[in-house]
Amino acid sequence: MMKLTTIINLFMLLFLFSCSQGQEEKQLVIGFAQCTGGDAWRKAMHSEMKRELSFYPELELVIKDARNSTSLQQQHIREFIDQKVDLLIVSPNEAAPITPLVEEAFEKGIPVIIVDRRTSSSLYTAYVGANNFEIGRLAGNYVGELLKGKGRILEVWGLKGSSPAVDRHNGFTSALKDFKDIKIVAEVPGEWEKDIAKEKFPDFYHQNKQIDLVFAHNDVMALGTFEYLKSIQQEDEMIFVGVDGLSGPNGGLQFVEDGILDATFLYPTGGEEVIRLARKILYHEPYEKENMLSSTLIDGRNVHIMKQQTDKILSQQSSIERQQGKIQKQIEVYQNQRILLYFLSAALLVIIVLGALALLSLKEKQEMNKELSAKNKEVIHQRNELARMARKADKATEAKFKFFTNISHEFRTPLTLIIGPVDDMLRGSVSAEMKKDLQLVKSNALRLLNLVNQLMDFRKIENQKMKLQVAEKDVVGFIKEISASFSRESRKRKIDFSVNSQVESLKVYFDSDKLDKILFNLLSNAFKYTKDGGKVSVTIELSDTYDKVIIMVEDNGRGMSEEHVKNAFDRFYTGEVYSNLSTGLGLALSKELVDLHKGEIAVVSEKWKGTKFIVSLPLGKEHLREEEIILPASETLEPMLDALLSSGNEEPDDLLESEELSTKALHRKDKTILLVEDNVELRAFLKKRLQKEFNVVDAADGTLGLSMAFDTVPDLIISDVMMPGMDGLQLTSELKNDKRTSHIPVILLTAKDSVEQKIEGVQSGADMYVTKPFSFAYLYERIKGLIKSREMLRDHYSCEIPAEAKQAVVPKQLDKKFVNEFLAVVEKNLSNTALNANDIAESLGMSKVQVYRKVKALLGYPVNEYVVKVRLKKAKHFLLNSEMNISEIAYEVGFSSPAYFSTAFKNHFQISPSEYRATHLVKD
Ligand code: FRU
């Protein structure tokens, strides 16, 4: 698009153009070298010229007045030549001295017009003027006749070197030749000036007395002689004849009219003609070289009419001049308006140009908008495509993640099936050799399990599902604890293993689970690559700047090559034996975990000399996000949830001893356990083991499990989480939201061990969460614990009757509701002797078996027995707080006879109702 400055420049150009249009008429300069400008005749010439010039505004006239000085006029002509005027007008003061300059100008190509007085050569462009010889001749003839052929004449000359003076004299004398008795007695050099003539005249007059007539070459010199003669009162006897016949108050016409002159001869100034001629020459129009103006005699006979005519002409001229003045003003107005018009036109043009540009740019913009919107559409399309691909990729990632989770699950179940029986066998009586083999099987299964776990961790890190959960703990104590698990191996292999700390304790924000993994990996490596009898040490110190804790795990084992040191933390590096899958993954995982803590891990190693891993973790919590910081578990979670979450982390081996004890202590064949597990082998394994102590019913999937739960109302349900169809979480949720089964404790078995999934498990209502692989002993402990706590709960719940006290100890909302409803039905129908389990079940919308089992499970008594207990409790209350007699109370609380009531009361409280009333009332 055209820039604004360009538009402004264009605008200025147009403006200047419009102004210059107003001045274009002044292009041609005409120089006028005037011999004199002081007399009336020359003034009349100038005003004629100006008048004529007003028709040609393009012509500019410059008049230089030589004031009767030939040398000054020469100088003026020189200036005009140098100035290179377009045309030169010369009225030579004297012919001879001016001629060379005129010729020069002419030769230089400047058109020259000679006016009035002539040069002495023909090298000029044109001439304008009257025929002075003819004027002289006319004057001679007139004078001859006036004097009637006889008389004495005094001739007053114009400047002798000027052509009119010479021509007029010659014409005059040539005419007088016909009048023999007329004589020119004296010639006065008047030089065209009145004063000179007046001054020189008296001498010639007085020397030549009896002069009849004065012939002056112009009117003003004639006036000069008249004035002199008048001053000596001799004017009346003299005849005065002049030349010029100028109109106006100081012109020859007036002198004739006033009787000063007897006659004059019209000598036109030719001002008008000169300008017309100049214009023709300048515009290369045809013109005459010699332009002769006519003359006429003016005397007493025609002066009046001439005067009238010239006065008329004068007044017309002045009116013309006035008109011209007005026209000039109009022209000025017109010029201004023209400038304004040009300006407006230019502005309009600029507006049009701008408008066109704006239109163009609008069009361009529209085009661009079109293009942009097309591009936009394309971008949106691409973005949608990308989003679709991203969703696809997400799905793929999700699928991959699920696949890994499932695979890990698939691994963990068989591993449980390996470790479990192996543990059993190890605890049984096996030969030493067999034990060694079994240990090997177990340790490899555990290693495989560790690998599966590490793979899972990588998946989580890759999917950003691995979240840091740090709490402020003593890192020294923590490291010492982890290191302790290596002391047995160090003792066995005679490895000098030590943990050295610069400080006794140090509070650091770290994720226990992750630091555990890091240290376990580093220590496992150190022990793995250190020969028996070697040295492994852990050193804890503060950094020099006191803002980091430095944990160094050092060994004097086989060390690493330079190449391997470079790639130690690259999980894809498979260069050397040091990076076998287990170790390689372990180090790479450790680095990821250290990174999560915003810490650093480095390795210093030399082949065959040893290796040192240096982990540094920042102190404080500024580097951590708020959501990464958790309070210690006991402060944030319900104790039960806490117990659930930590249950999966316990080492199976730790429980071996307690398992021995607790197995012996269990004699609970009266309890029924429902086992829901899709894996046939695991189900069979668990069933076989559980059957030793419990009645076991089993189901292969969630749906079947649910219906069996409703049918059998077992004492405890163990369910796998990942199952085809209804999974363990759904099953738990269904069970816990149904009043028939809501009281049954549920243990979930799963390979999923993330905190989120555990929480999900708890939210579904599961009472416990056991992570695969687990030892049977551990699971058994959990079963035992749950059954026991359920019994304690029931005991507590059922020992005292008042309903309001019970609410606080019933843990589950649905069970609380059930108990409340059950108690309400009982209370309402207490006086109904026939009230039985059937009626209550009906009122509660449940089957008799379900109510029976539920009441038994929650309250510890069969329904009928419990109803009797409530009747007796109520009776106790009435005995102390009512006026009713014992019989009335017996019926009131629903006993069919007072005797049966008394017996039942005594059996229950070891005191008869009347004794109870007597003793307790007395006490009160
Ligand atoms: C004016 C004048 C006239 C005369 C003419 C001759 O300057 O003296 O009176 O006719 O010049 O050139």
Side-chain angles (χ1 to χ4, degrees), residues 35-36 39 41-42 68 91 116-117 132 162 164-165 168 192 217-220 243-244 267:
C35 53
T36 177
D39 60 67
W41 190 86
R42 297 281 159 182
N68 296 315
S91 183
D116 156 43
R117 303 182 191 177
N132 282 301
S162 65
R168 286 175 196 177
W192 304 114
H217 286 179
N218 67 11
D219 293 337
V220 287
V243 179
D244 280 350
Y267 183 61

Side-chain angles (χ1 to χ4, degrees), residues 595-609:
D595 285 349
L596 275 177
H597 279 87
K598 307 279 180 304
E600 278 165 27
I601 184 165
V603 58
V604 182
S605 183
E606 216 179 306
K607 199 83 181 160
W608 311 121
K609 292 219 168 131

Side-chain angles (χ1 to χ4, degrees), residues 148-381:
K148 294 187 179 113
K150 192 179 176 194
R152 293 165 61 84
I153 295 171
L154 196 146
E155 185 179 358
V156 183
W157 273 69
L159 191 63
K160 286 250 164 111
S162 65
S163 68
V166 177
D167 290 349
R168 286 175 196 177
H169 170 76
N170 290 341
F172 191 65
T173 50
S174 91
L176 286 181
K177 277 179 190 158
D178 297 338
F179 305 98
K180 302 277 184 234
D181 293 331
I182 294 177
K183 279 201 171 53
I184 299 169
V185 293
E187 292 177 24
V188 181
E191 296 179 26
W192 304 114
E193 297 287 314
K194 177 187 155 191
D195 295 338
I196 296 173
K198 194 174 176 179
E199 186 199 323
K200 298 264 171 86
F201 174 74
D203 282 354
F204 291 94
Y205 174 72
H206 292 296
Q207 280 169 20
N208 304 284
K209 293 274 169 123
Q210 290 167 350
I211 303 287
D212 303 306
L213 186 143
V214 172
F215 170 59
H217 286 179
N218 67 11
D219 293 337
V220 287
M221 288 191 296
L223 181 66
T225 59
F226 170 80
E227 282 174 3
Y228 172 71
L229 290 173
K230 195 181 176 192
S231 67
I232 56 168
Q233 289 165 352
Q234 294 292 320
E235 82 276 13
D236 282 350
E237 291 160 25
M238 193 74 75
I239 296 166
F240 297 93
V241 175
V243 179
D244 280 350
L246 202 63
S247 54
N250 298 312
L253 273 180
Q254 190 61 48
F255 301 155
V256 176
E257 171 94 341
D258 293 345
I260 295 169
L261 297 186
D262 291 281
T264 183
F265 290 87
L266 180 68
Y267 183 61
T269 64
E272 192 182 308
E273 288 79 2
V274 168
I275 294 303
R276 279 194 201 139
L277 183 65
R279 197 190 146 273
K280 276 186 185 169
I281 293 167
L282 284 169
Y283 287 120
H284 308 290
E285 287 174 13
Y287 65 91
E288 295 287 330
K289 186 173 177 180
E290 298 297 325
N291 298 277
M292 305 311 292
L293 305 171
S294 57
S295 180
T296 182
L297 164 72
I298 302 156
D299 62 2
R301 290 167 295 184
N302 65 354
V303 71
H304 195 62
I305 187 128
M306 283 286 280
K307 180 115 190 341
Q308 271 182 342
Q309 281 174 353
T310 54
D311 282 353
K312 182 94 186 149
I313 288 168
L314 278 179
S315 95
Q316 278 174 348
Q317 276 176 353
S318 82
S319 136
I320 286 169
E321 270 161 24
R322 274 202 313 278
Q323 292 290 334
Q324 275 182 339
K326 281 183 185 168
I327 287 170
Q328 193 53 43
K329 268 187 191 159
Q330 290 299 322
I331 286 171
E332 273 165 26
V333 171
Y334 161 75
Q335 293 287 17
N336 288 340
Q337 284 179 346
R338 196 165 66 158
I339 288 169
L340 190 69
L341 187 72
Y342 279 127
F343 184 81
L344 288 175
S345 307
L348 189 70
L349 191 73
V350 169
I351 287 167
I352 289 169
V353 168
L354 284 177
L357 286 174
L359 261 173
L360 211 76
S361 103
L362 191 78
K363 221 175 163 194
E364 256 173 44
K365 214 172 161 186
Q366 277 173 346
E367 287 288 315
M368 248 156 78
N369 276 349
K370 240 187 195 172
E371 245 171 67
L372 274 177
S373 91
K375 269 190 189 151
N376 207 19
K377 259 188 198 164
E378 203 178 306
V379 167
I380 288 171
H381 176 74

Side-chain angles (χ1 to χ4, degrees), residues 408-421 444-446 448-450 452 773:
S408 115
H409 177 71
E410 292 303 321
F411 272 107
R412 287 182 193 199
T413 306
L415 282 170
T416 304
L417 287 169
I418 294 167
I419 295 164
N444 275 294
L446 286 171
L448 198 55
L449 185 66
N450 190 35
V452 170

